[in-house]
Amino acid sequence: MSLPPDRLERFARHIVLPEVGGAGQVALSQAHVVLVGIGGIGSPALQYLAGAGIGRLTLIDDDTVDASNLQRQTIYTESDVGAPKAEAAARWLNQFDKALEARAHAIRVGGENATRIFEDADLVLDGCDNFATRLAVSDSCVKASIPLLSAAVGRFQGQVAAFAGHLPDHSCYRCYVGDAFDAEDCDTCAEDGMLGAMAGWAGTFAAMQAIRVLLDGKASFGDPQWGKLHILDGMKPGMRTLSIAKDPDCKGCSKS
């Protein structure tokens, strides 16, 4: 498959990179990414996934745009306040690049609907704000054999990690956090605060890692880095990387 002339021009800066090239750009144009949460992580991630030419984007968020979101969720404007985030994000995507397919779901994703929504996805990028949903998403990805990119941000710190718990010897998100967080309660940025630019850093880094996953086996930039947790420190600033081992007793990905 080749790209039409207008798409060649649009993605010329990718195509001239030997690590991406034409084959890599075609692979991105054929990819389907599901974004769970179009907030502090999902907003900047969406901008750069769309900028990279990801062909299909499924947008999931059951929240509405609030004025306090505008400090870091940069796809929204004052006119979007009160609108469902998923629908507002789909409108932004359509205005940015009409060639990309957007599907909006203004719902909370969980075990019951995840199988249907995640169908034929190449990657799920989870940037939601509660552990119960994160664990449900992780378990669903393992069952459906879909890679998961998990990203989180708060105050001056971000975390981004790619998981492939459906593959032998690779950890899942539940291996990382365990079962203690199967609950709705968690800290929120409303309580703890968040530097807006920190959300941008975490979200755009997540988009870059997503591109790595999608180009695995298709271009030399492809390097999923399964089980590598990247911790972004906005105070220093700096970054360090940890390895998340597979838990042989994990109820999410253990075959025993």
Side-chain angles (χ1 to χ4, degrees):
M1 177 182 175
S2 60
L3 297 170
D6 62 323
R7 306 304 277 177
L8 288 172
E9 180 181 5
R10 183 164 187 144
F11 301 111
R13 301 302 185 273
H14 269 181
I15 294 169
V16 298
L17 291 170
E19 296 83 0
V20 178
Q25 191 58 48
V26 168
L28 295 178
S29 73
Q30 296 174 331
H32 175 202
V33 175
V34 176
L35 278 80
V36 180
I38 318 295
I41 294 289
S43 172
L46 174 61
Q47 288 177 294
Y48 279 88
L49 291 174
I54 304 302
R56 295 172 56 196
L57 291 151
T58 296
L59 314 175
I60 304 171
D61 201 307
D62 66 343
D63 198 7
T64 57
V65 179
D66 184 83
S68 67
N69 299 150
L70 303 181
Q71 164 251 14
R72 63 199 177 280
Q73 299 176 24
T74 51
I75 59 173
Y76 306 121
T77 67
E78 291 181 346
S79 63
D80 293 316
V81 171
K85 286 184 179 180
E87 296 176 9
R91 285 196 298 272
W92 176 89
L93 185 61
N94 184 61
Q95 293 174 352
F96 178 76
D97 189 345
K98 293 185 184 301
L100 306 183
E101 180 182 343
R103 297 179 182 176
H105 297 275
I107 59 173
R108 172 74 67 90
V109 69
E112 295 182 358
N113 57 22
T115 301
R116 172 177 55 85
I117 297 173
F118 294 176
E119 185 178 10
D120 74 10
D122 298 295
L123 175 69
V124 172
L125 195 164
D126 187 1
C128 74
D129 61 0
N130 73 85
F131 284 112
T133 299
R134 284 182 176 273
L135 287 166
V137 167
S138 176
D139 292 346
S140 297
C141 285
V142 172
K143 291 177 182 177
S145 298
I146 299 172
L148 170 66
L149 190 72
S150 179
V153 65
R155 291 179 55 81
F156 299 94
Q157 186 183 90
Q159 297 183 2
V160 179
F163 296 102
H166 59 286
L167 298 178
D169 303 322
H170 286 295
S171 57
C172 73
Y173 179 77
R174 191 180 286 274
C175 292
Y176 168 43
V177 302
D179 301 329
F181 297 105
D182 274 322
E184 296 293 336
D185 59 317
C186 63
D187 296 334
T188 68
C189 62
E191 298 168 346
D192 297 337
M194 184 191 301
L195 184 70
M198 191 69 225
W201 182 17
T204 53
F205 187 80
M208 186 175 72
Q209 295 302 95
I211 292 170
R212 287 184 186 275
V213 172
L214 295 170
L215 292 184
D216 183 30
K218 301 177 177 68
S220 63
F221 188 68
D223 177 10
Q225 301 182 359
W226 302 131
K228 299 294 184 182
L229 174 68
H230 303 286
I231 301 174
L232 316 179
D233 186 340
M235 290 295 287
K236 287 187 176 180
M239 184 176 75
R240 60 194 178 101
T241 302
L242 307 176
S243 295
I244 307 300
K246 189 177 185 71
D247 178 358
D249 298 319
C250 176
K251 73 179 188 182
C253 65
S254 175
K255 302 300 182 183
S256 60

